[in-house]
Amino acid sequence: MTALKGESAVAEAAGVKRRHVHKFGGSSLADPVCYRRVAAIVEQQVHGNELVVVSAAGKTTNRLIQLVDLAVAGDEAAAEAHTALHAYQQSLIDGLLEGALHDELSAQLNEDVRAIARTLEQQFDRFDRNGLLAFGEVWSARLLAALLTQRGHKTLWLDARSFLRAEDGPLIRVDHALSSELLKARLAEHEGRIVVTGFIAADMEGRSLLLGRNGSDYSASLLAALADGESTTIWSDVAGVYSADPRRVKEARLLERLSLAEANELARLGSSVLHSRTLQPVADSRQRLTLRCSYNPDEGCTHILRRAPRSGGARIVSSVDQIALIELKVLPQSDFEQAAAIIEGYLARHRIQPLTLQRQPDRRMLRLAYTLEVASGAYDLLRDFQLEGGFTGLIQKEGYSLVALVGAGVTDNAEQCHRFYQLLTEQPLEFVQAAKDGLSLVAVLRQIVLEPLLIALHGALFSRPTRVGLVVFGKGNIGSQWLGLYAREQARLERELNLALTLYGVYSSEGGRLDEEGLDPRKVQEIRPEPLIWPELLGQLEQHSFDALIALDLTASETVSRYYPELAQLGIHIIAANKFAGAADSEFYQRVKQTCRDHQVQWRYNATVGAGLPIQSSIQMLRQSGDRIHGVSGIFSGTLSWLFQQYDGSRLFSDLVEEAWQHGLTEPDPREDLSGQDVRRKLLILAREAGYELDSNDIELENLVPVPLRKVESDQFMDRLRELDGPIQTAFESAKRLGKVLRYVARFEHDGKARVGLESLEPHHPFANLLPCDNIFAIESDSYRTNPLVIQGPGAGREVTAAAIQYDLWQICAAL
């Protein structure tokens, strides 16, 4: 494996498709098992042109730092550290690669280790030292690219120093224009996956530079910005941002969404999950940022949204165990406010801003809180600026802790502020400071054990009901029935599940509207609709301020169902009475399922088959208990059930069809029932729920509508109903001669055979004797092989369908 080489025209690079960047930290690459897990995650990405940014594996950077320090000190332990470093990297290669790739990377590692030894044996400057520390990222990138190639995915690796140009200094400054030009030239040469080194860059002379703390995270978001990437996903050992540190507060919950402003404030206050420098390229580009856990990719994630945060109050209880206070006094002859502004500006220019700052004009004192890691640098910086800044009496004190509430509008939330101060009254409080932008409320305490306070704060602040918004598509027969049921059941649902439900939006074919204050379910017919423009609606839904959003598709619209993947990508749960997605072609069906899994979204559609009958839930229960489904059969159409229960040869079948149509027992066009297409869709949904990979074309269908009648206008069809009678009469007489009855049956079996059509059944068969319009389902499994599990009852109707939708809503809300 070799790095990408050569240059290509920038004009060619401009045509590169937008890429997705994935970053994996050292803990995600600690051993061969971790590498294989990362490789599997990368393989699952459907785009195939990802940029994968990697840190040094495990503690490799620490090992390199230790090795360099020992060599500089002339310590004999340097040789042992050198050997241990080599052995660790070789063990990764041995555990992952075979054949030529193994030999190639082993030879490259041997050469690198010899190069390190040669450098350590001579005088070297800090640029040489940077080059030594860069080996960790080079080894990770080279090894992961080789592993992916071995697994059948041709992958190259790229040394960031070949394109990332920066200016040396206390804070490395990247030349964005030049770096972007160089990067795009390299990306134009390869459309597939590329593994890129994090943490490192080069100056204009090609000398190695290090990007510092969280440098690989910064590399990833910067890479996406330079390449005009679509998204950056940072994979680490945690799933994202929680409402508190989950190691200290067991009740902490993962936040699915966080605004960029809130994320920046959390990073500024010392979060170990986020770093302010990582977020800057996100703010300056079009990319999306997501945080996920490489150890458990299905655990959930946090999406960082570029939109302005909605005021509501604290979302996170943050803390730092050990901080230092730097105190300084403004000279009597200096204007206090002016001096304070000069000091803050000076610190901001040097990117060493405090976690919080307290002004005490009466004592002419400023108190600045820093993490211990940063405090000494801030103290030295201020000491050099002391006279120019108009202050004196510079003192650094240690032994303090910090607790903060973070969230848009927290300083304006009177209830949360009151609870915060109330819980701090018995603590050794130094001061409380509110952020000017209202994003945080910070308390500095003399150092204590923080867990009891954090648990108390989290419980007091976040025990509020979960806020759930509902967006309804369809307010016709089923929709209006469910809205009435929801109006009656809302209070009980909220009370029993600790929820705050809001009917956020209602749409029909005429359009609709959203209202975060909530719509009255009893008055939705009075809503003045706005046009439904899907891209605009999806953009609005992405900006919602609820804890969770649920879309209810109560239509029969294929158009609505085609937007399920987009809804799922926004983290919106889906309830469907619409059969199109569940019975769509396999490619789209699997896309919906996979998108829901990727974004931890529930898609429930119990109302699509059997209305309120527990068909799908019974199949799911059997499968989850370890049972295997061998087949499902039954009569799935209430209309066809009624027609063949009534038909005994004494009346024409066409007369029964017309009677059913007159009484509203059929669809407006009876061919929708008689074609069997709806029954086939239901059978396909159940087969898939049972674990079988079927498509619609795999199900044999007997259409009761003669070919000449299938494409005529509906009025013409009703005028020619008599043409139905001949084939039905023939089938009826054949069954009668055998002493059997005629029924329209759907069935699939474990051998893949599936059919929908007429069957001759014994008169005592369970399918032969149903109440008018009933459905019946027979489930055969390991446990119910000789005596199938039979479920029978009304399989259609507004009331029972609305009840099935309400059950799905309850299940999703209970999971929230």
Side-chain angles (χ1 to χ4, degrees), residues 532-582:
L532 172 53
I533 302 172
W534 274 99
E536 293 182 6
L537 175 60
L538 293 171
Q540 290 176 291
L541 295 179
E542 185 178 9
Q543 309 299 319
H544 78 84
S545 63
F546 298 97
D547 297 316
L549 206 60
I550 303 173
L552 296 92
D553 180 6
L554 312 184
T555 72
S557 166
E558 184 174 0
T559 299
V560 175
S561 71
R562 289 291 170 184
Y563 282 96
Y564 287 5
E566 285 77 8
L567 293 170
Q569 285 174 356
L570 297 178
I572 300 173
H573 303 284
I574 302 167
I575 295 171
N578 186 342
K579 300 182 187 68
F580 273 104

Side-chain angles (χ1 to χ4, degrees), residues 420-474:
F420 188 59
Y421 283 106
Q422 191 176 43
L423 287 167
L424 290 172
T425 54
E426 297 183 1
Q427 304 296 336
L429 181 66
E430 285 290 311
F431 64 87
V432 175
Q433 191 68 35
K436 294 177 183 178
D437 53 13
L439 285 168
S440 67
L441 193 60
V442 182
V444 174
L445 317 164
R446 287 187 292 280
Q447 196 164 329
I448 60 171
V449 176
L450 288 178
E451 276 80 357
L453 176 59
L454 297 176
I455 292 170
L457 278 170
H458 190 274
L461 295 170
F462 302 138
S463 59
R464 65 172 177 80
T466 301
R467 297 176 62 246
V468 180
L470 307 177
V471 181
V472 177
F473 297 94

